[in-house]
Structure formats: structure tokens, C-alpha cells
Amino acid sequence: MENFWTSTKPINGLRHFVLVNETKEKGNITFLMVSVVDSEINIRTTYEELINSGNWHEGWINLPNNQSITQEYDDYKSLKKGESIDEIFLNEDSVFNIS
């Protein structure tokens, strides 16, 4: 499975994400995706959503800056000022677990 993904639509203003965790619960596979620009922007998605929805492209697609980081990101950050980040926990077998 590819670790690097590009969203077809901005998520909180950002489009490039890294798959950092994969969990399996009751036969369902869930992925934790984190923005490469801002770790505060992370989402959970299912295998079906990631692979078959048409909302994601494997790998990072070169995009103009105004499409890669949109005004929505600035708006999101101004709303979140002063709030703390949720912690992200990685599985021991994650390629991003460096501890």
C-alpha cells in the first residue's frame, strides 16, 4: 500500500497526506492520514474510501501552491488559534514510528 496520497479536494485547505497507521477492527480496515504540512490536520478513512471512492490519488501530485495549500487552510488555522493538538499514536509497525 502506498504511504503518500493526494486528496482530490482540499481537507481543511490541504491536499497532500501520509498514511501513518493502519488498524483492523471487526474486519474493517481504517487508515490514519496526516497532512505533510500540518500534523494537526489528520483524518481517519476506510480502505473503501481510500481506494475506490475517487477522492484520493496514490502518490503526491505536483500542484500549484494555490491548489496545494488553499485559503481554507488559513481560515482553519485562524479558527484553531490557541487550541491544543490531539496526540497521534503510531502502531509499532508503522514506517513513521521512529521511537
Side-chain angles (χ1 to χ4, degrees), residues 68-81:
S68 179
I69 303 172
T70 68
Q71 180 62 42
E72 181 186 355
Y73 177 66
D74 288 336
D75 297 343
Y76 172 81
K77 290 305 281 186
S78 65
L79 289 174
K80 291 292 205 174
K81 262 190 177 154

Side-chain angles (χ1 to χ4, degrees), residues 4-8 15-17 55-63:
F4 309 103
W5 294 83
T6 302
S7 175
T8 58
R15 298 198 36 204
H16 295 103
F17 288 79
N55 293 333
W56 294 93
H57 295 283
E58 284 190 65
W60 289 336
I61 297 172
N62 283 330
L63 299 168

Side-chain angles (χ1 to χ4, degrees), residues 10-14 17 35 37-43 69-86:
I11 298 171
N12 291 327
L14 302 175
F17 288 79
S35 165
V37 173
D38 187 338
S39 64
E40 288 183 25
I41 299 176
N42 57 80
I43 62 167
I69 303 172
T70 68
Q71 180 62 42
E72 181 186 355
Y73 177 66
D74 288 336
D75 297 343
Y76 172 81
K77 290 305 281 186
S78 65
L79 289 174
K80 291 292 205 174
K81 262 190 177 154
E83 291 185 24
S84 64
I85 182 173
D86 292 334

